[in-house]
Amino acid sequence: MSSPAEPATNGNSVLNGDSSHDGFPGLPPFPDDVPTAPLLRISLAKLLAHDQDELNAFWKACCELGFFYIDLRTGSGHDDDIDGEALLQDAEKLFQVQEEFFGLPVEEKLKYDFKEQGSYFGYKGYGGGLVDKSGTPDRNEFYNTSKDDILGLSSPLPAPENLTQYRPLFASYMRRSHAVVALVLRILNARLGLPDGELENLHRLNAPSGDQVRFVKAPPQPPRDRRTALGEHTDFGSVTVLFNRLGGLQVRLPSHIRPIGPATSEHSSSSNGDAVNGSVEVGGAAAENWAYVRPLPGHAIVNLGDAMVKFTAGVLRSNIHRVVNPPGGQAESTRYSLVYFARPEDEVVLRALRGGKVVEEAVSKKLGKGEKWEEEEVSSKEWVLRRALGRRGVGSWEKSEGTEEVSLRKGQDVGA
Ligand SMILES: O=C(O)CCC(=O)C(=O)O
Ligand SMILES: [Fe+2]
């Protein structure tokens, strides 16, 4: 049976003696005195073996928090693309590739910013995104690589030589990440009682979609001026597979889930600096229930995005998260992360999938007597474009909002 990485009842003890608690070689350790999110650790190998307890834990994680760890150290499947170890190795190499890429001069990197052409692929410079509706600039740079470009489904975008030489590595990493996503979708499909293959068929690897790999770099911030590096958001697509090595990722826990470790408010003023509590956070970290996600070697962090909320009329959760300066002794280090965003195929309309009992029940629970279920007819392509470019100052902030209200369970009982 899976266990929370750090269950509230016994602190970090589950991980004591587990090598994944030791941190990443060459990087300062994640501190033990900050509030962390009780993400479940799900074993890829056990999911592949149809372990019932594991499947139950997985389902619970997807409904309650929409975030979990997946232990990739032992899982490989009959399908050759599901290979946890190989995915970890590809990820390791791409961490080196991204350091090389971000090492290029800014003027060179800016040649690959395609925002003006209406594309979110390519480069976004430091401060080129917004963290809130008042227009506060972000404190990270990122680079998005399109799956369709790498797999030859669309014409290649211009890219620097120190990335184009790694196209085969990108392709391998994309296939392997996508295979993990497909497994997630298959299990969810069965739990939702949807017709066989429905979710997977909306996410075919070889169909055009907004799937992408993202590199993110956030340099250490000055001790007296630490702010949000990447603004709070829910992911736009279906399933995200994330690798990071330094802390800084925080999830906003639903109010009935308590963080593990010391009180959030104490921590956030000492470790993140007042600025995080000042201009960016109204009400403070404690009131908003922010908790760090402790990076674990050998694991990826998996989270669900808005499309899964829409497909399931809110049964599955796309949780709000953000990135702040790394905590404690990690604060002076440069933070990198590597992300695979899986999104529904471009033409898929994001609406409740009504062919299964679970979603049908959720729909009828939401409707008053005689009311009809109505939702915006928006395609995946439009949705992702609007969400992604809105956070870069194109179009209105409000229009670029996703399912945050659902994520906060506004107007519902907690735990719903
Ligand atoms: O860097 C991280 O840990 C998370 C990045 C993220 O949430 C995103 O790029 O959507
Ligand atoms: Fe995200």
Side-chain angles (χ1 to χ4, degrees):
M1 167 78 191
S2 294
S3 45
E6 303 147 319
T9 46
N10 59 352
N12 293 333
S13 61
V14 160
L15 289 178
N16 285 347
D18 177 332
S19 61
S20 61
H21 192 241
D22 297 345
F24 293 81
L27 294 176
F30 184 87
D32 279 324
D33 62 348
V34 297
T36 55
L39 264 55
L40 293 176
R41 284 202 291 163
I42 305 292
S43 147
L44 176 60
K46 287 187 186 171
L47 289 184
L48 289 166
H50 308 287
D51 179 303
Q52 211 46 54
D53 285 344
E54 207 70 5
L55 292 168
N56 292 340
F58 164 89
W59 175 248
K60 182 173 146 78
C62 291
C63 294
E64 280 196 347
L65 203 50
F67 263 85
F68 58 90
Y69 297 105
I70 190 155
D71 185 345
L72 296 169
R73 290 171 297 180
T74 51
S76 64
H78 304 297
D79 170 354
D80 278 347
D81 283 338
I82 297 197
D83 186 334
E85 270 298 337
L87 176 57
L88 286 168
Q89 283 164 22
D90 284 352
E92 177 90 30
K93 290 181 201 145
L94 282 172
F95 267 90
Q96 287 164 22
V97 170
Q98 69 163 315
E99 277 200 49
E100 239 178 83
F101 164 74
F102 284 121
L104 292 172
V106 179
E107 319 79 77
E108 174 63 17
K109 291 184 283 192
L110 282 171
K111 289 183 192 159
Y112 307 101
D113 182 338
F114 305 117
K115 183 180 89 166
E116 297 307 324
Q117 285 101 284
S119 171
Y120 53 82
F121 297 125
Y123 182 66
K124 176 201 70 68
Y126 189 87
L130 314 177
V131 303
D132 55 31
K133 62 169 171 278
S134 46
T136 311
D138 64 16
R139 292 189 169 191
N140 73 78
E141 49 184 331
F142 65 55
Y143 186 92
N144 294 330
T145 302
S146 154
K147 179 262 288 171
D148 292 358
D149 177 340
I150 295 295
L151 299 188
L153 304 170
S154 60
S155 31
L157 284 162
E161 167 59 25
N162 70 359
L163 290 185
T164 50
Q165 62 174 311
Y166 295 112
R167 286 178 72 92
L169 172 61
F170 274 97
S172 166
Y173 175 72
M174 285 173 170
R175 286 181 192 286
R176 296 191 195 289
S177 301
H178 192 275
V180 171
V181 170
L183 175 69
V184 166
L185 294 175
R186 270 200 297 282
I187 302 172
L188 291 176
N189 200 83
R191 284 276 164 157
L192 291 163
L194 290 170
D196 264 3
E198 178 153 16
L199 279 173
E200 246 193 298
N201 287 334
L202 302 176
H203 300 83
R204 291 164 302 169
L205 181 69
N206 290 311
S209 74
D211 282 28
Q212 62 176 16
V213 169
R214 172 175 292 169
F215 295 159
V216 193
K217 176 182 180 183
Q221 300 188 35
R224 298 197 170 281
D225 177 31
R226 287 186 179 148
R227 292 166 190 264
T228 305
L230 181 82
E232 65 180 89
H233 64 284
T234 53
D235 286 352
F236 322 147
S238 306
V239 182
T240 301
V241 180
L242 165 67
F243 293 92
N244 54 35
R245 296 166 165 194
L246 290 173
L249 172 64
Q250 294 184 321
V251 297
R252 187 168 173 183
L253 298 174
S255 55
H256 66 292
I257 300 181
R258 300 313 308 160
I260 295 157
T264 325
S265 53
E266 246 173 62
H267 165 66
S268 54
S269 52
S270 61
S271 167
N272 282 335
D274 289 331
V276 165
N277 283 333
S279 64
V280 181
E281 273 185 66
V282 181
E288 295 190 346
N289 217 12
W290 288 104
Y292 287 95
V293 176
R294 174 196 287 273
L296 297 180
H299 296 65
I301 297 156
V302 175
N303 66 287
L304 304 184
D306 297 340
M308 298 309 286
V309 176
K310 289 176 164 283
F311 287 150
T312 64
V315 171
L316 298 174
R317 190 181 183 88
S318 164
N319 204 65
I320 297 175
H321 55 286
R322 67 178 182 187
V323 178
V324 300
N325 204 67
Q330 301 189 325
E332 307 303 326
S333 305
T334 299
R335 182 178 189 279
Y336 293 93
S337 45
L338 169 67
V339 200
Y340 185 83
F341 294 99
R343 292 158 173 173
E345 295 171 21
D346 283 348
E347 303 314 321
V348 171
V349 176
L350 303 183
R351 60 177 162 225
L353 301 174
R354 309 284 299 268
K357 203 167 130 237
V358 179
V359 177
E360 218 37 36
E361 275 173 14
V363 166
S364 36
K365 236 169 105 180
K366 287 189 179 174
L367 292 178
K369 233 191 154 116
E371 266 180 349
K372 257 186 80 190
W373 182 254
E374 282 178 38
E375 30 186 356
E376 186 194 8
E377 293 275 308
V378 57
S379 72
S380 177
K381 186 174 181 162
E382 255 179 280
W383 173 263
V384 174
L385 204 59
R386 181 166 97 190
R387 295 275 281 123
L389 291 179
R391 301 291 139 139
R392 297 194 52 194
V394 181
S396 82
W397 177 270
E398 281 76 17
K399 273 210 167 139
S400 76
E401 290 194 327
T403 61
E404 293 88 349
E405 298 269 298
V406 190
S407 177
L408 291 169
R409 302 296 199 250
K410 285 260 163 80
Q412 288 182 41
D413 290 341
V414 289

